[in-house]
Amino acid sequence: MDTLFVALKRGFLAGTIAGLLAVGGLPARATAAQAGTDARLSAETLAAVTTVTGSYLAGRHAQQTDDWAAAAEFMGRALASDPGNLALLRRTYLLQLGDGRIGDAADLARRLTSVEPGNHLAATLLAADDVIAGRFAEAQARLAGGTDDALARYVEPIMLAWIAVGRGDLSAAWSALEPMSKAQGFAVLHNFHAGLIAEHAGDAVAAESWFLKAIGAGAPLRIVQTVGGFFERAGRPEEARALYGKFIADNPGTLLLQADLDRLARGEKPAPTVADPRQGIAEALFDIGSALNQEGAGELALMYGRIAVHLRADLPLARLMIGDILAQRTRYEAALAEYSAVGGGDGLRWTARLRSAGLLEKLGRTDEAVALLDAMAAERPERADALIELGDVQRGAERFDQAIAAYDAALERLGEPQARHWLLYYTRAISYDKTKRWTEAERDLQRALELSPDQPLLLNYLGYSWIDRGVNLDRGRSMIERAVQLKPSDGYIIDSLGWALYRLGDFGGAVTHLERAVELKPLDPTINDHLGDAYWQVGRRAEARFQWRRALQNAEEPELAKTIQAKLDNGLPRHQTAADLNAPAPQSPAPQGPAQGQPAAR
């Protein structure tokens, strides 16, 4: 999804996300390795936990596995038994809000603000409820006291400005908004909402002035739609068309402005982006949530997104953002529900459907995903994106021949490939490689490198594959070294360099790089296995066995586990270097070499 306010990523947000999380008391999230994606708590577990302590501990576990629905349920039970526990009240409120249980969250917010009036997220939800009911004076009083929360100092001025608009006091609205103009990184947001307020007040001259300040270079989607619509309503369609065209040129293939272009062609004039103060506050909360999400603060973004949708259910970009956050947290069913609720133009719905197909594949509903994407590809025979997604779904399901067919069809639709299409050749190459069609895979990798010569994934995959096959050894090593230069903290690429050195017989150099790779990816079984092999070759046998045991503990592929166990039982046979692969066959049978790593569908 388009970054709505890239400027917010600089200055203030760049250094305060961790502090905001601490102030907000948001639930902790475990890493994928700690939690896994299959740790959702069953209905039987929910029913079995009855004690306060058990409910609390189960709730914490559910939080760590991103199962917010179960976490909200368990914490609610614990809170019912310990209603005076402020920390538990805060946590349960956030879980209810994040899970979209707005009614329950509002009840908890009232309890929370009675003992902690400065709680920003609780006050924000209650102020939103006041605005929905038309109680603008109450909403203003609720926010006027301020808070020590860092982000509140930037959210509440915009809310207060729109609340003042609702009270009919434009002077107070401008005064409330003014501090935003001086806040580092927030000028774009100030100018955008100043334009929205001016247009709502009927001052077209002031609105245009603010909008032009907001639009700048590389304007994001929401501003482009708003300012383009303003030009259309002002009877200046050519300026709107130029603005839309610039965005499309900067974002090739996008459908997000298709509805705007179609409307422009029909000569119809759009409604303003914001029709009333309620919609203005929803827009503000979504704008800030989107910026937070781009900075990796998905939990906070989810909270603001939920309140934004509470204020305005027909805010499709907010729905899309919520779906994306839920998908990132492996809450695929909940994300699908949000994607299915995305309205707006065909472009937004198309985007939501593409993302839904990817989630269906993750849920093991591959046939549903394929059917959806087949239908989409037929709907728009001029577009390749549904076919590319279809190839990715088939590849994820290890249906590599079907993936290749989908990628073939996508390339036919694309015509002359552009630099950005390197990824399509790369993914088709992986599929060819998986079906042992190396000649075709090599061709695609080389074509992809022509399109994107400094792409680390390509340099790594092709360079490693050459070394592993005993060909183009010097060039392959140089390519992997270049990939490491480009991504010096990528454990998988560093592993490739270490393993390439191993294949070339430089065991000491291999150890150096593989140790670094293990530091970066300590639980990856292939990397641990590689380091064990390298340790064995330099005589560090005890350390080798330690790494193999570690690899075996995390190995999910039966073949890899079998190979590691054999090394633990018998040690490692004599190594065969990559240069040996093209040498004449030995008179006696060659010993079996170590397990070979997959270079790079990583």
Side-chain angles (χ1 to χ4, degrees):
M1 185 171 63
D2 176 62
T3 306
L4 296 189
F5 289 92
V6 177
L8 293 180
K9 296 174 69 176
R10 307 184 186 96
F12 172 76
L13 284 180
T16 60
I17 295 299
L20 294 173
L21 293 173
V23 171
L26 290 168
R29 180 187 184 188
T31 65
Q34 293 168 324
T37 59
D38 59 350
R40 298 289 185 260
L41 295 174
S42 67
E44 292 79 5
T45 303
L46 287 168
V49 177
T50 57
T51 67
V52 177
T53 302
S55 294
Y56 177 77
L57 293 175
R60 289 301 301 268
H61 172 76
Q63 288 173 218
Q64 291 172 344
T65 58
D66 285 335
D67 189 354
W68 281 29
E73 176 69 23
F74 280 126
M75 289 299 181
R77 293 184 191 181
L79 182 63
S81 299
D82 189 7
N85 189 320
L86 180 58
L88 188 56
L89 178 60
R90 287 194 200 107
R91 187 176 294 275
T92 307
Y93 164 67
L94 293 171
L95 287 166
Q96 298 281 14
L97 178 58
D99 198 45
R101 305 183 190 189
I102 298 299
D104 293 338
D107 290 341
L108 293 177
R110 293 185 188 94
R111 289 171 55 185
L112 188 53
T113 54
S114 69
V115 295
E116 193 175 47
N119 188 294
H120 164 61
L121 283 172
T124 299
L125 176 58
L126 294 178
D129 270 351
D130 289 335
V131 168
I132 290 170
R135 301 189 297 264
F136 292 105
E138 289 89 335
Q140 180 186 15
R142 197 179 297 281
L143 298 177
T147 175
D148 292 334
D149 188 296
L151 191 55
R153 297 195 295 271
Y154 302 89
V155 176
E156 291 176 2
I158 307 179
M159 294 183 67
L160 287 168
W162 280 109
I163 288 168
V165 172
R167 293 172 48 242
D169 189 345
L170 279 177
S171 176
W174 295 122
S175 296
L177 195 61
E178 174 59 24
M180 295 290 295
S181 66
K182 300 178 178 65
Q184 183 181 7
F186 279 79
V188 172
L189 194 58
H190 169 274
N191 296 337
F192 181 53
H193 280 268
L196 291 172
I197 290 172
E199 184 180 26
H200 179 71
D203 189 343
V205 174
E208 180 176 356
S209 175
W210 288 118
F211 283 148
L212 291 178
K213 290 179 182 178
I215 202 158
L221 171 66
R222 197 62 170 161
I223 293 180
V224 169
Q225 288 178 315
T226 297
V227 180
F230 175 83
F231 286 147
E232 290 182 61
R233 289 188 295 278
R236 295 151 63 182
E238 291 309 313
E239 292 178 65
R241 184 174 288 107
L243 188 59
Y244 299 151
K246 174 65 167 58
F247 182 87
I248 292 170
D250 292 340
N251 300 273
T254 183
L255 280 174
L256 294 177
L257 286 174
Q258 189 60 52
D260 303 89
L261 291 171
D262 292 344
R263 181 193 62 240
L264 189 61
R266 295 192 300 268
E268 300 172 2
K269 293 185 179 181
T273 297
V274 167
D276 54 43
R278 174 174 171 175
Q279 292 185 2
I281 294 172
E283 180 69 35
L285 293 175
F286 164 64
D287 295 339
I288 290 176
S290 178
L292 286 167
N293 191 39
Q294 294 293 332
E295 280 296 308
E299 293 92 344
L300 274 170
L302 180 62
M303 304 300 171
Y304 287 120
R306 292 294 195 191
I307 301 174
V309 170
H310 178 50
L311 283 158
R312 185 176 185 180
D314 65 335
L315 195 56
L317 282 172
R319 293 271 187 196
L320 200 61
M321 179 187 76
I322 290 171
D324 289 346
I325 294 169
L326 294 172
Q328 290 161 10
R329 305 184 75 84
T330 71
R331 296 185 59 196
Y332 300 137
E333 293 286 2
L336 282 173
E338 293 296 333
Y339 289 151
S340 68
V342 170
D346 288 343
L348 281 172
R349 289 196 296 272
W350 182 269
T351 299
R353 291 166 72 195
L354 283 176
R355 294 179 186 180
S356 295
L359 296 188
L360 287 170
E361 188 268 325
K362 286 182 170 62
L363 287 166
R365 296 157 61 182
T366 303
D367 290 341
E368 292 179 58
V370 168
L372 172 60
L373 293 166
D374 279 338
M376 293 177 68
E379 284 174 28
R380 291 184 175 270
E382 77 285 0
R383 294 188 64 83
D385 49 0
L387 287 169
I388 294 172
E389 183 66 25
L390 176 59
D392 291 345
V393 165
Q394 298 282 30
R395 181 169 54 87
E398 298 187 357
R399 302 173 180 177
F400 299 114
D401 289 330
Q402 293 93 322
I404 291 168
Y407 293 141
D408 288 345
L411 284 166
E412 287 180 10
R413 291 190 180 186
L414 286 173
E416 184 64 26
Q418 305 298 313
R420 68 182 185 277
H421 297 137
W422 70 267
L423 184 59
L424 178 52
Y425 284 96
Y426 173 66
T427 51
R428 189 172 70 170
I430 292 173
S431 301
Y432 277 135
D433 198 11
K434 292 290 187 180
T435 55
K436 303 192 183 307
R437 297 166 63 182
W438 172 245
T439 300
E440 292 93 333
E442 183 180 38
R443 179 199 64 204
D444 272 1
L445 290 168
Q446 291 175 317
R447 183 70 179 99
L449 274 172
E450 291 174 4
L451 297 172
S452 184
D454 268 343
Q455 175 49 244
L457 289 175
L458 296 172
L459 293 166
N460 176 52
Y461 200 125
L462 183 55
Y464 177 89
S465 297
W466 277 341
I467 291 173
D468 205 40
R469 286 168 171 79
V471 299
N472 302 327
L473 303 181
D474 291 338
R475 186 180 175 195
R477 176 174 176 171
S478 296
M479 290 168 68
I480 300 174
E481 289 173 341
R482 175 60 177 155
V484 171
Q485 289 177 354
L486 293 167
K487 297 194 75 174
S489 296
D490 189 309
Y492 295 122
I493 293 179
I494 294 172
D495 169 64
S496 286
L497 177 57
W499 194 238
L501 294 174
Y502 182 99
R503 299 288 291 143
L504 292 168
D506 181 0
F507 303 126
V511 166
T512 298
H513 292 289
L514 291 170
E515 286 179 336
R516 171 63 175 153
V518 166
E519 288 177 3
L520 294 168
K521 296 289 181 182
L523 298 178
D524 186 277
T526 299
I527 298 177
N528 290 134
D529 182 43
H530 287 172
L531 180 56
D533 289 1
Y535 278 155
W536 186 275
Q537 296 293 351
V538 297
R540 296 163 66 175
R541 302 296 171 87
E543 291 167 279
R545 292 187 183 280
F546 173 81
Q547 292 297 331
W548 288 334
R549 282 192 292 269
R550 195 180 196 187
L552 186 60
Q553 289 174 349
N554 295 294
E556 296 180 357
E557 297 179 9
E559 192 61 32
L560 177 59
K562 180 180 177 181
T563 300
I564 295 170
Q565 187 61 59
K567 287 186 284 191
L568 283 168
D569 293 340
N570 305 311
L572 192 65
R574 180 183 64 81
H575 173 70
Q576 183 184 50
T577 68
D580 293 334
L581 295 178
N582 287 335
Q587 297 300 311
S588 58
Q592 181 180 357
Q596 296 177 0
Q598 276 298 328
R602 301 170 175 163

